[in-house]
Amino acid sequence: MLLLLPRSAAASLAGLLVLLLLCGCNRWPEDPRNSLSAAEQRGTLRVGVIASPPWVELSDPAAPGGLEAELVSEFAAQSGMQVEWQHQGIEHQVEALKNVELDLLIGGFSTANPWKAEVGQTFVYFREHGQTGSLGEHVLLTAPGENALLMSLERFLFSRQQPERYLSRLREAEQP
Amino acid sequence: MKVRQGYVLPAEKEQLLHKALRLEWISIFFVLTIVAAMYLTMGSSQAMRMALLEDLLALIPPIVFLVAMHMRKRPPDEQHPYGYSRAILLAFLAASMAILMFGLFMFLDSISSLIKQEHPSIGHFQLFGDGYPIWGGWVMIAALVYSIIPPLILGRMKLPLAKALHESTLYADATMNKADWMTSAAAIIGVLGIGLGFWWADAVAALIIAVDVLKDGTTHVRKAMLELMDQRPTDIMSNAPLGLEQVINDALLREADVVDVEARLREEGHLVGGEIFVVFDKEQTQVARRSQQLISTAVALDWRLYDLIVMPVEQIQR
C-alpha cells in the first residue's frame, strides 16, 4: 500500500511510522507471534532438548537434567509455567523453533552454532575457558524474532550469571 | 607535439575547491566513526550488519573524488595532450555506480528478507557476547541517530559547492549523503517497528529507501555516461543546457567584422571546450590575428570555457 504511492520516500516513511504507532502494543519489545503471552496462557513453555552432557542430560526423558535444563525449569517456574520437553533430531528441532512450534531449544549450544542467522539466541550466559574459537561461549536458542520472550529469558539469565556454579558442575562432569 | 596550456581555476573558485576537498576528508573521517559505532552495536542483528556494509559503500564517492582531483592537477603532457580534466567524469561514473549498487543491494536484501520472512531477534544489548541490561534496539537507535547527523550536514554543505564548482562528482557525493542518512532514518523506524512486534517493519522501511536510492543511482549513471560522450554543457543539478553556445554567439556577433557565428561545445569535467565557426566579412584580411582575438573574447565569457578554437569558414551549414 505504501509502496504504491511513492510520492516521496520521506512521506512513505512517515506513513509507516504512524501506521506502526497506531497498532500499539502492551509489551516492549513485543513478540510478532506472541510466544510469551501464548506460553503464559497455556501455562507451558515448549522446550526442545538435544543431549549434550553436562548441559542437557537425557537419562530420564520425562525429566531432562543438566545445567541448561535446570536453568530453563527455573525460568519457567519463576513465570508460573510448566515445561513441555520435546525430543527430536536436531534438524527437526531447529525447524520447529523457526516455525515457533518450540519456544526454546537447549543442547549446550555456543555462539559458533550454524543457525544463529535464522533463530534467536541469548547473550553469552557463561564463558567456558580452554575451548577452541567461540565454542566456549554458551547461549540458549530462542524462536526467531520473538523478542519479548528473548528479553524475559535474558532478564532471568542476568540473575543467574554465576560462573562458579557452572564451573563446579563442569569439574564434576569431568571426573569419571 | 602541441599540448594544451594548463587550466588555472579562478582564485575564488580555487578557494571553494579547497573547501570541498576539506569536506570530503571530513566525510571520510565521519564514515569511519559511524562504521565503528555500527560495528559495536550490531550484536547478532543481520539488519545492522547490512547497514554497516552500506555505510562502507559511502566511502567510495569521497575517495574517488579525492583521487580524481589529484589526477586532474597534472598539466597536459605529450601522452595526454588534451589534459586530465576528464578524470573527474570517470570519478563521477564510479561514484554513481556506487550509489546504484547501494540501492540494488538494499533492494534485493529487503525483498529477500520479506520473502524468507526473516524475523530479526533483538534482545539485550550485547558487546562481544556479554549482555547489558538495556534493550539492544535502543543502543542501535542511538548509533543510527549519530549516523544521520554528519551526512545530513555534510550533504547540505556540499550541494552549493558542487553547483558553484560545476562538479558532478561532488553532487553525486551529496546525493550519496542523502541516501545515507535516509537509510539510517528508515533503519530507526525499522527498529522501532521490531520493538512494536512487526518483524517486517525493518525490511519495508529499507525497501522504500532502496527505491529512492535506485532512482538517484540510475539518473546519475546515465548522466555520467552521457557526459563522457561529449555532452553539451549542462547544469549539474537540473541537467538543463547552460546556454553557453548562445552566450558566445551573441557576444561574437557584436564584433563589426563577424557576419555569422556558431559555437559547438562539450563538457570535459568541470571545463568546457569546443570550436567556434566564424564567417568573417569579405573585407577582413587579418583573419589569423582576428581569430586569436575572438578566442580571448570568448574564453573571458565564462570561467569554465577553456582552450576554444576559432575556425574561420566561408559559410556555416546548419
Side-chain angles (χ1 to χ4, degrees):
Chain A
M1 170 194 73
L2 284 163
L3 283 174
L4 293 179
L5 305 161
R7 189 171 292 167
S8 90
S12 310
L13 281 183
L16 180 62
L17 185 62
V18 170
L19 187 76
L20 291 177
L21 291 176
L22 281 178
C23 296
C25 70
N26 40 11
R27 256 189 244 268
W28 189 276
E30 179 66 280
D31 282 337
R33 288 172 289 192
N34 301 316
S35 292
L36 188 57
S37 342
E40 282 167 353
Q41 268 178 12
R42 273 197 316 268
T44 53
L45 194 66
R46 299 164 306 179
V47 180
V49 280
I50 300 289
S52 174
W55 309 98
V56 176
E57 291 164 11
L58 298 179
S59 37
D60 175 9
L67 277 161
E68 290 186 348
E70 283 166 28
L71 267 180
V72 167
S73 303
E74 226 180 316
F75 166 64
Q78 203 184 50
S79 321
M81 290 186 275
Q82 301 285 315
V83 181
E84 185 187 316
W85 305 101
Q86 307 259 358
H87 303 265
Q88 260 183 321
I90 185 141
E91 291 187 350
H92 284 98
Q93 301 270 43
V94 170
E95 206 51 41
L97 192 64
K98 280 202 269 183
N99 298 329
V100 205
E101 288 152 19
L102 281 180
D103 297 316
L104 305 178
L105 177 57
I106 57 172
F109 297 114
S110 73
T111 53
N113 79 79
W115 308 284
K116 57 174 169 255
E118 299 151 57
V119 302
Q121 68 182 32
T122 63
F123 56 78
V124 177
Y125 74 89
F126 172 61
R127 250 196 191 92
E128 188 185 348
H129 294 285
Q131 291 278 6
T132 46
S134 42
L135 281 176
E137 298 182 342
H138 289 276
V139 297
L140 308 180
L141 302 187
T142 65
E146 300 301 278
N147 295 324
L149 174 68
L150 176 62
M151 287 292 275
S152 163
L153 177 61
E154 283 188 338
R155 261 194 299 278
F156 167 76
L157 287 177
F158 273 125
S159 65
R160 293 292 181 280
Q161 282 187 308
Q162 301 147 336
E164 318 79 47
R165 170 177 156 169
Y166 304 110
L167 278 171
S168 61
R169 290 286 293 273
L170 275 177
R171 263 183 239 117
E172 264 173 50
E174 275 166 19
Q175 275 152 21
Chain B
M1 192 195 296
K2 166 87 175 83
V3 301
R4 272 174 154 185
Q5 290 283 305
Y7 173 83
V8 184
L9 215 55
E12 89 266 14
K13 299 284 177 191
E14 189 68 44
Q15 233 174 359
L16 288 178
L17 186 62
H18 269 284
K19 215 169 131 190
L21 290 174
R22 206 171 54 223
L23 277 181
E24 295 293 38
W25 281 113
I26 294 172
S27 292
I28 291 177
F29 169 77
F30 275 112
V31 170
L32 292 177
T33 64
I34 288 169
V35 167
M38 294 271 192
Y39 179 75
L40 293 177
T41 56
M42 70 180 180
S44 60
S45 155
Q46 292 294 111
M48 286 292 278
R49 192 183 299 270
M50 287 297 148
L52 189 150
L53 288 176
E54 287 161 5
D55 271 305
L56 278 175
L57 266 179
L59 280 174
I60 295 177
I63 289 176
V64 293
F65 181 75
L66 290 172
V67 172
M69 277 302 165
H70 190 73
M71 278 293 286
R72 201 178 84 177
K73 272 191 304 198
R74 290 193 205 173
D77 54 33
E78 293 270 312
Q79 199 59 37
H80 287 86
Y82 287 93
Y84 292 86
S85 67
R86 271 172 213 251
I88 205 75
L89 288 182
L90 279 176
F92 178 39
L93 184 62
S96 314
M97 279 309 283
I99 297 173
L100 189 62
M101 296 311 290
F102 175 91
L104 210 58
F105 186 59
M106 257 175 96
F107 185 78
L108 293 178
D109 186 58
S110 42
I111 293 269
S112 97
S113 27
L114 282 176
I115 290 174
K116 285 198 267 174
Q117 304 204 356
E118 280 171 10
H119 289 56
S121 292
I122 307 179
H124 285 85
F125 172 58
Q126 296 181 18
L127 189 59
F128 305 120
D130 294 314
Y132 295 88
I134 175 174
W135 186 50
W138 296 129
V139 185
M140 289 178 191
I141 288 175
L144 288 166
V145 166
Y146 171 63
S147 76
I148 282 184
I149 301 164
L152 183 64
I153 297 173
L154 289 168
R156 290 274 159 102
M157 288 171 81
K158 282 171 194 167
L159 275 182
L161 287 178
K163 191 164 171 62
L165 287 166
H166 200 77
E167 287 297 352
S168 321
T169 316
L170 200 57
Y171 180 51
D173 185 32
T175 316
M176 186 78 180
N177 285 147
K178 190 182 124 214
D180 224 21
W181 74 256
M182 284 183 72
T183 312
S184 300
I188 290 177
I189 293 175
V191 173
L192 287 175
I194 291 170
L196 287 162
F198 301 100
W199 61 271
W200 44 262
D202 202 23
V204 170
L207 196 60
I208 294 172
I209 298 301
V211 172
D212 201 52
V213 175
L214 271 177
K215 209 177 66 198
D216 275 347
T218 37
T219 318
H220 278 88
V221 168
R222 217 177 98 87
K223 205 173 139 213
M225 288 178 170
L226 293 176
E227 276 182 24
L228 275 167
M229 288 186 279
D230 284 350
Q231 190 181 222
R232 73 188 289 194
T234 53
D235 186 85
I236 58 155
M237 290 192 196
S238 63
N239 224 19
L242 283 175
L244 286 177
E245 297 90 345
Q246 201 54 47
V247 172
I248 292 174
N249 293 355
D250 292 348
L252 296 195
L253 272 176
R254 262 179 249 128
E255 305 282 325
D257 54 347
V258 174
V259 177
D260 198 4
V261 59
E262 198 68 73
R264 180 172 71 194
L265 304 176
R266 62 166 179 266
E267 282 195 50
E268 301 174 17
H270 65 309
L271 302 178
V272 174
E275 298 80 34
I276 307 170
F277 298 93
V278 178
V279 180
F280 283 107
D281 193 287
K282 293 265 183 323
E283 314 287 294
Q284 182 59 263
T285 48
Q286 303 273 9
V287 168
R289 195 166 56 89
R290 282 297 292 148
S291 294
Q292 289 207 319
Q293 284 170 352
L294 288 187
I295 290 175
S296 349
T297 317
V299 165
L301 290 170
D302 191 282
W303 67 275
R304 284 162 283 208
L305 292 170
Y306 161 66
D307 198 36
L308 296 172
I309 308 284
V310 164
M311 177 74 200
V313 288
E314 281 205 319
Q315 173 194 358
I316 296 172
Q317 290 186 336
R318 287 197 171 89

